[in-house]
Amino acid sequence: MKALLAFSRLIDVITENIGKAVGWLILIAVLVSAGNAVVRKVFNTSSNAWLEAQWYLFGGAFMLAAAYTLAQNEHIRIDVVYGKFSRRVQHWIDLLGHILFLMPFVLLMVYFLVPYVAMSFRSGEGSSSAGGLIVWPAKAILLAGFVLLAFQGVSEIIKKIAIMRGDMEDPTPYVPTHAPLDTAIAEEKGA
């Protein structure tokens, strides 16, 4: 189990570094968007390439940060149901969800995206819009995002099993994010 936990920590470090780095893509997308808007209004001209660059940047940030979001335990879940269970049951729900839903979906996406990206790269596929960008880098980012998510899924499975076996402490103990209304009001009043 120690070797698996070391592998999991390596995945977590890579995921965290990539997740934090791609946050800058949002800023770049905003600057490209603002620059494009200014050029369009001031010079009455625009470019499909700049519009597509915005989409690529935003898509890259979203896809490449998905694994980091999973590592931080920030993916959306039904807290109303999930929060009613003991932490042990929550670990089982997470483990089974990762094994039965996340991993099959992610691996299927990787399986289909590899030839999809390869074909786009070999053909030099370009945008269908005049003056647009080449398409394969955006498709490659999609593939990279799912590969990262697959590795992070493996890391999460390893950690869940280790936590349930008592081989490690729970790094993200669940705390309900939405307290019942009565509790929230009482806490605000200092009761």
Side-chain angles (χ1 to χ4, degrees):
M1 184 53 90
K2 287 185 181 189
L4 289 174
L5 285 171
F7 180 62
S8 174
R9 281 190 296 276
L10 174 65
I11 293 170
D12 290 348
V13 166
I14 292 168
T15 297
E16 182 173 352
N17 288 331
I18 292 171
K20 288 180 177 179
V22 299
W24 288 100
L25 295 179
I26 298 294
L27 175 62
I28 297 168
V30 167
L31 293 174
V32 167
S33 177
N36 196 30
V38 168
V39 167
R40 189 174 59 245
K41 295 295 183 187
V42 173
F43 300 107
N44 199 26
T45 186
S46 186
S47 164
N48 285 331
W50 286 110
L51 291 172
E52 290 179 7
Q54 291 171 226
W55 303 336
Y56 288 16
L57 290 164
F58 180 74
F62 179 83
M63 285 307 301
L64 297 174
Y68 178 63
T69 305
L70 178 62
Q72 297 301 309
N73 198 29
E74 292 294 329
H75 277 282
I76 297 171
R77 65 168 52 95
I78 310 298
D79 288 340
V80 173
V81 175
Y82 185 85
K84 293 186 184 289
F85 295 113
S86 70
R87 189 63 181 131
R88 181 156 179 80
V89 172
Q90 290 174 352
H91 286 306
W92 274 105
I93 291 169
D94 290 341
L95 179 63
L96 292 174
H98 293 331
I99 292 171
L100 298 176
F101 298 104
L102 175 69
M103 293 308 292
F105 173 72
V106 169
L107 294 174
L108 191 65
M109 290 303 296
V110 169
Y111 176 79
F112 284 114
L113 281 169
V114 167
Y116 181 68
V117 172
M119 185 176 65
S120 180
F121 177 76
R122 279 193 306 270
S123 70
E125 182 181 5
S127 172
S128 59
S129 301
L133 300 174
I134 54 174
V135 175
W136 70 262
K139 292 181 178 181
I141 288 171
L142 189 63
L143 174 59
F146 277 109
V147 168
L148 286 171
L149 197 53
F151 276 108
Q152 191 59 48
V154 169
S155 175
E156 295 304 310
I157 290 168
I158 291 168
K159 289 185 288 191
K160 287 296 173 192
I161 292 170
I163 291 167
M164 292 166 65
R165 288 178 37 153
D167 293 335
M168 73 177 278
E169 291 292 319
D170 186 356
T172 55
Y174 179 74
V175 178
T177 54
H178 303 289
L181 186 57
D182 296 345
T183 306
I185 293 171
E187 288 175 357
E188 284 180 13
K189 292 181 180 179

